[in-house]
Amino acid sequence: MSVELSQAGQVLTATNLSAGYDGRAIVQGVNVEATPGKVVSIVGPNGSGKSTLLKSLVGVVPVLAGTVAIGSRDITNFAPEKVATLGVGYVPQIDDVFPPLTVKENLEIGGFLLPRHDVAGRIEAVLEFFPRLKEMLTRKAGKLSGGERKMLAMGRVLMLAPSVLVLDEPTANLAPMVATQLLEEYIRGFADHGSTVLLVEQRAKAALRISDWTCVLGGGRVVLEGAPKDLERDPVFVESFLGGAARH
Amino acid sequence: MSSFGFGLMTAAVLAIATVGFTMQFAVTNVLNLAYGSVMINSAFVAYYFNKHGMNAWITLIFGVILGSVVSWAINKFVFTPFQRRNLAPITVVIVALGVDLIGTFGLQAIVGGGYVSFSVSPGREFHILGMFLSGMQLIILAICAVVLILVHWLLKYTRLGKAMRATSANANLARNSGVKTQRVISTTWLISGALCGLAGTIFALNTGVFEATSAQLYIVMLLAAMFLGGPGEPYGAMFGALTIGLATEISAAYISPQYKEVVAFVVLLGMLTFRPYGIFGSEKTN
């Protein structure tokens, strides 16, 4: 992987975080720390607040209590466009591209904060990483398949060479092989090159395979957390998320 | 063929107006029913300068400036406070309707109810493709062509245009990409307001005589053209304007010209019934 695609990571921390809509907390008292070179995954049942947690970290959902920090800088309730300037790339679960814009225009918007003369070179770098996108530069993003679309969504955030990647269910609606490639080759690869990766993932087994640390969210709170190898021995976790007997 | 000529002129004015109208709707999410009132107010400001001796074509600049500033101000001081309160979208539509009535009848209170007209020479007549077009009408067509090309260039090739389209498609994602969407929205009001002011002044020039309520039913034409092309689709707006402009004027050759807006309304109802996302729009737009 080209090292320039992402930067050396920064620590992303949520401390006693409560966040939600219209003053009503969906996640409550959550502590999460994502560190450079590591993948931290968040798993949990539907409605447990995983997406809300990520959205509150990047400024899309208001933080009602607690703090969010990048390194030592408090970024609680920063506007999303400000969070982007601090090197945080966010890929939402759905609506992750601009459908009426072409692939090239999506990448250009991804590089909106770059100096104009750097955009073309940066697109080239992203296309080296996702060569399939090269053939579809003039195609509208709304016409792409699920896998191509996700590549574009990732490419869009890579335009700014983020130091922190916040990814909300990047494998949703992808074929198993494409999902595995995305997780193991690309997402794990970012962390291996020093970036900070915070990942929400429905496929618990796949998430555990690439994670250094996993938090389990339930009812808006962290109910369990640990290294994947420890969670794989936890009977409750195995029963709830891995659908089988714990490994001993 | 003369109906086609009239239709072309109506389409030209309508195209400028509809592109501005649909741009506002797409980027700012406001169905600005006060658009017609800003158009006619702009026309009257241009007329004021023309009445005091300024060349009618130069007064277009004042129409453009007024349309731009007033549209920006309406958004800043009227629509935005309502939107911040997270009220239902219908609330903003009703507010826009109120602004339209205040704008139109406020103007009428100031200028009176009489008809006025620009002092401008129609120029010599040209016979083109079976149509008789005056020099003035050719200038209007040329302005329309230049404006539409500029809008296309803005949306397709500039950073601002791409940011406008991105904001229109997904404002949250645009913000996550570093786009300052509030600034984009303000700029959109300025640009679409300028188009509104230009359309209003050209509308008044093309009509010949006009008064404070002359653009009150124009909103029907705008809505028909916008829904025909696809809400929020600037290229669809150009297509919708051409179709509605030609349809209303050609129909006026067979039925009373007073029913022009009725024809537009029938097209609007048809589109809303059978394809509410328009010819160029997608179901998601709907």
Side-chain angles (χ1 to χ4, degrees), chain A residues 73-88:
Chain A
R73 185 169 185 184
D74 187 341
I75 62 160
T76 312
N77 283 327
F78 270 27
E81 56 268 35
K82 184 94 188 272
V83 175
T85 64
L86 299 172
V88 180

Side-chain angles (χ1 to χ4, degrees), chain B residues 98-128:
Chain B
V99 173
D100 181 60
L101 292 173
I102 292 167
T104 303
F105 293 105
L107 176 68
Q108 194 178 45
I110 295 167
V111 301
Y115 279 92
V116 295
S117 64
F118 277 91
S119 168
V120 58
S121 161
R124 62 176 272 236
E125 201 165 68
F126 295 86
H127 189 206
I128 302 165

Side-chain angles (χ1 to χ4, degrees), chain B residues 14 36 95:
Chain B
L14 191 56
V95 169

Side-chain angles (χ1 to χ4, degrees), chain A residues 58 60 79-81 84 90 92 95-102 105 108-114 116 156 160, chain B residues 86 155-156 159-160 162-163 165-167 169-182 184 233 284:
Chain A
V58 297
V60 176
E81 56 268 35
Y90 168 59
D95 295 333
D96 50 359
V97 295
F98 302 102
L101 274 63
T102 64
E105 288 169 340
E108 285 170 345
I109 290 295
F112 196 77
L113 293 170
L114 294 174
R116 280 167 208 229
R156 182 186 56 75
L160 291 180
Chain B
N86 275 336
L155 293 175
K156 193 76 189 158
R159 234 166 93 87
L160 172 63
K162 286 170 193 168
R165 288 164 56 214
T167 303
N170 187 340
N172 272 338
L173 194 63
R175 294 182 77 189
N176 285 127
S177 307
V179 178
K180 290 179 177 162
T181 53
Q182 276 312 314
V184 170
E233 298 285 339
K284 208 180 167 198

